[in-house]
Amino acid sequence: MRPLSPAPPAERAPSVARSTTAPPRPRGADLRARAARVPAAAAVVGRRLRPLADRPVVLAAGVLVLMALSAFLRSRAIGASFWIDEGIAVGIASFPLTEIPTVLLQDGAPPLYYLLLSVWMDVIGSGEAQTHALSLGIAILTVPAALWAGRSLFDTRTGWMAAVVAALQPFLTYYAQETRMYALVALLTLLLSAVFVHAFVDRRRGYLPAFAVLLATLLYTHNWALFVGVGAAAALGPVWKASSDRRGLLRDAALGFGGAALLFAPWVPNLVFQALNTGAPWATVPTLGELTSGLGFALGGTVSALIILLVGGVGFAALLEARSGGDPRLRRRWNAALALLVLTGGTVLAAWLASQVSPAWANRYMAVAAGPGILIAAIGLAHARRLGMVTLAILAVMWFDPRIGVIEGKDNTRQVAASVQYRPVGEGDLVVSPHPERIPLLHYYMGEEFRYATSLGPVADPRVFDWRDALERLEDARPTPTSDPLIESLESGQALILVQPIIRTTSWRAPWTALVRRRVAQWEEVLNTDPRLRRSEALPEFGFKPLPRGIRTVIYRKR
């Protein structure tokens, strides 16, 4: 295109009256002057539009919309039945508040969630929907928490992307409808990650008390918080390397981590006792594949994780490239992003390595990565610009799935218990579970009128299972000697209801589950051949239907 210039004389329009005080400006120069004013005008418009997303009204409205969307998505199966761990949680929380810490010496968990659930049950109720509502409320709170974390650490774009991820993330959709502490763990780790960057990367010392309190709160919520502490300590490495005040950084680290240790100190004797006497005999040594699949689970599934890895990787690469420039703000962004990556990766790696020595690995424990994973995904997508925005839209469509079938198919104990109670069974009849930790769930659905026993013998309090030296005790409890006094305790005509787990896979390979599997078969054989009993009925009848998750029962009558 030729540069603009005044029209040639032959093509000029007829002359018009002109002011004699100012000479006419040539047409090309006028256009160039106007063009020079366009960037300035655009900058003014941009400055006016950018704060729009930061205005309190817009922030409040946007957060409320996302929270409402999250509540809708995550409440579609809020009345789903409990599974084993939920029955244990409700059982422990049914004790008086002052007794819960002592009861937990039998279980192996820290007390905070159970104390919170106990208060919630006293006020709201102990039904499935009522207790799930606690987790739902906590999951919804991750939306404003994610918005704050993204905006305060990076920018508005990152904040809104984090809020969208938090509102729709499948991990939280599942655990928002489960009476366990995993939604709380995700919220706490999200906040802890953001506060870590504020306190140690940005050296805002006012955040040190918040870091100490959050880490201690997490330690009182789940034992994997110990690995979060390890990951946070590892993240101090790159922060220390980039710091110009390394001595001050170490001082602040001592204050933050030391404060958390001081707050957690009262529970340490209980933790030591639990570690020596309970453990997780139901777990196996995790493979490298389980490490990667666990991370994928925390990020919304394998496909979602791969998409985030690829597109988010583009954003992180852009951050890394920008870091090489002279702008200290861009270097600070990279340092913050790197600290979050090391914190999260260090947490998961520490848990995996510890489980090589003492297995305690489960995908649900990846809540410690789901929280900071929200922030990491948002950072990567936000810095991938348009590609990141398109990717987030695709993920939102993929994630807008309430997962009703999966959640409602966790366990069939509620349905089977109802079927059994339609039979002529009742007060004084005996419920026996060779899968011992299922007793609190059975007690929840079958009630106080029954007596309860496991393959370990009679159960004094069916609200809790005693994990102390459980593997050794189960090895010593042979089926015939254990069943004899139980059968003798029945009067003629009374029922013995044998509750057997449905073993659908060969994954019962851990020391505990392998032994339970043997005891399940042995107990049914012993009762079938005992002349004092008559096999009456087996429930439910599956026919050619796929086997569900949960239990089956066999009802025997004392002759």
Side-chain angles (χ1 to χ4, degrees), residues 126-144:
S126 60
E128 294 98 332
Q130 289 96 330
T131 57
H132 289 160
L134 174 60
S135 298
L136 173 63
I138 293 169
I140 292 171
L141 287 177
T142 61
V143 175

Side-chain angles (χ1 to χ4, degrees), residues 36-47:
R37 289 195 294 271
V38 168
V44 171
V45 172
R47 283 195 297 270

Side-chain angles (χ1 to χ4, degrees), residues 398 469 480:
M398 292 172 56
D469 305 315
T480 299

Side-chain angles (χ1 to χ4, degrees), residues 82-374:
F82 291 148
W83 74 291
I84 291 176
D85 283 14
E86 292 178 280
I88 292 173
V90 171
I92 293 172
S94 67
F95 284 86
L97 276 177
T98 55
E99 296 180 19
I100 288 176
T102 302
V103 171
L104 285 169
L105 293 177
Q106 304 176 43
D107 179 79
L112 180 60
Y113 174 76
Y114 299 97
L115 296 171
L116 182 61
L117 178 61
S118 180
V119 174
W120 182 272
M121 287 166 51
D122 288 342
V123 176
I124 305 298
S126 60
E128 294 98 332
Q130 289 96 330
T131 57
H132 289 160
L134 174 60
S135 298
L136 173 63
I138 293 169
I140 292 171
L141 287 177
T142 61
V143 175
L147 177 63
W148 168 79
R151 286 181 69 244
S152 64
L153 293 178
F154 290 89
D155 52 29
T156 301
R157 180 199 295 262
T158 305
W160 282 116
M161 285 191 165
V164 171
V165 173
L168 303 175
Q169 186 196 55
F171 183 95
L172 283 174
T173 299
Y174 188 91
Y175 289 106
Q177 297 166 98
E178 182 163 304
T179 307
R180 294 293 286 170
M181 69 288 294
Y182 305 117
L184 179 58
V185 171
L187 174 61
L188 290 173
T189 50
L190 169 63
L191 292 172
L192 179 74
S193 301
V195 168
F196 176 90
V197 175
H198 280 302
F200 298 112
V201 176
D202 296 338
R203 303 302 307 280
R204 301 175 68 180
R205 303 190 70 210
Y207 280 92
L208 289 174
F211 175 81
V213 170
L214 281 169
L215 182 54
T217 303
L218 195 57
L219 288 164
Y220 278 110
T221 303
H222 198 278
N223 288 330
W224 268 34
L226 295 168
F227 303 129
V228 176
V230 173
L236 287 173
V239 176
W240 180 84
K241 184 178 179 181
S243 176
S244 59
D245 180 19
R246 294 175 175 177
R247 179 175 296 180
L249 175 65
L250 295 178
R251 177 199 60 217
D252 288 352
L255 289 172
F257 286 86
L262 186 63
L263 292 171
F264 187 62
W267 187 254
V268 169
N270 295 32
L271 176 63
V272 172
F273 178 88
Q274 291 170 328
L276 294 175
N277 294 280
T278 58
W282 43 263
T284 58
V285 175
T287 64
L288 189 60
E290 287 173 305
L291 170 63
T292 56
S293 66
L295 282 169
F297 182 67
L299 291 173
T302 302
V303 174
S304 297
L306 288 174
I307 292 173
I308 292 171
L309 179 64
L310 291 173
V311 180
V314 172
F316 275 93
L319 267 177
L320 180 60
E321 182 179 1
R323 168 183 173 268
S324 60
D327 191 337
R329 293 173 300 176
L330 296 178
R331 287 200 300 273
R332 178 260 165 206
R333 283 193 172 213
W334 169 253
N335 292 337
L338 180 61
L340 290 169
L341 286 172
V342 174
L343 189 156
T344 307
T347 296
V348 176
L349 184 60
W352 186 80
L353 291 174
S355 290
Q356 304 301 306
V357 179
S358 178
W361 184 271
N363 274 353
R364 56 188 178 272
Y365 294 173
M366 294 302 292
V368 296
I374 292 171

